[in-house]
Amino acid sequence: MAKRLWERMFSGRLLAVTNTATATGLFALGDIIQQKCLEKRENLDWARTSRMAAMGLCIGPLNHYWYVFLDKRWPGKAHRIVFTKVLMDEVAYAPIGTTIFYIGMGTLENKPLSHSIAELREKFLPTYMMDWQFWPAVQLINFYFVPTQYRVLVVNIATLCWNAFLSYMKHKPSESAATPVKADSHSSTAV
């Protein structure tokens, strides 16, 4: 029975739901790891964790359809094809995903768009440089050895470490914190 459920979760229409659900949960878990293990907080900031989970809910379907696209556009596991997929993931998708993350988190924190853009400008390059150090190795293994229907699951599992890093980058004090971004009169700041 468990085997049938597993097979159903990783095939057909349920695959997108499974990939989205795992992304949502692992974004939240990455933030919990960041708060408990790295920041050593006694009490979790559940609102923050909820925002990270919401980003997983947004990014999960994007990941699903991105890998469907890559596999349809470049089927197979030849060295050149795998290299092309990894390169496309880094050059095309990573900048988009990073942008969505920072702008989306700022939106969920009720920050003005100008604040989110300033934060993106400050944190994009360090995040993207770390992305190049982390993801190509994961993706080489993923595209060479992992069956298509399990690729997003592998990414989601690797994302657990990545999400702890994203949580760190997002919540570390901004270098421009000394000069706060002026909010317009129509925005509010999350507590």
Side-chain angles (χ1 to χ4, degrees), residues 5-90:
L5 177 62
W6 179 266
E7 288 170 356
R8 286 179 59 203
M9 287 173 52
F10 288 95
S11 64
R13 292 180 296 175
L14 284 181
L15 183 57
V17 173
T18 300
N19 288 335
T20 300
T22 57
T24 302
L26 292 173
F27 261 74
L29 187 55
D31 182 63
I32 291 168
I33 290 169
Q34 172 62 27
Q35 288 188 54
K36 282 296 202 183
C37 299
L38 303 172
E39 294 175 16
K40 309 282 191 216
R41 287 178 175 232
E42 287 187 35
N43 298 314
L44 288 175
D45 179 346
W46 287 107
R48 171 180 146 172
T49 301
S50 297
R51 289 189 296 270
M52 288 291 290
M55 287 311 304
L57 186 62
C58 294
I59 291 175
L62 294 174
N63 285 351
H64 172 80
Y65 290 108
W66 173 247
Y67 292 109
V68 168
F69 164 75
L70 286 178
D71 285 335
K72 284 185 178 177
R73 177 64 180 89
W74 292 284
K77 294 183 178 186
H79 294 300
R80 191 180 72 194
I81 289 171
V82 169
F83 178 76
T84 300
K85 288 178 181 179
V86 170
L87 188 61
M88 289 301 298
D89 196 55
E90 286 303 309

Side-chain angles (χ1 to χ4, degrees), residues 99-117:
T99 301
I100 290 170
F101 174 76
Y102 283 112
I103 300 297
M105 285 295 289
T107 300
L108 291 170
E109 294 170 336
N110 294 319
K111 302 280 170 104
L113 183 58
S114 60
H115 179 278
S116 298
I117 290 170

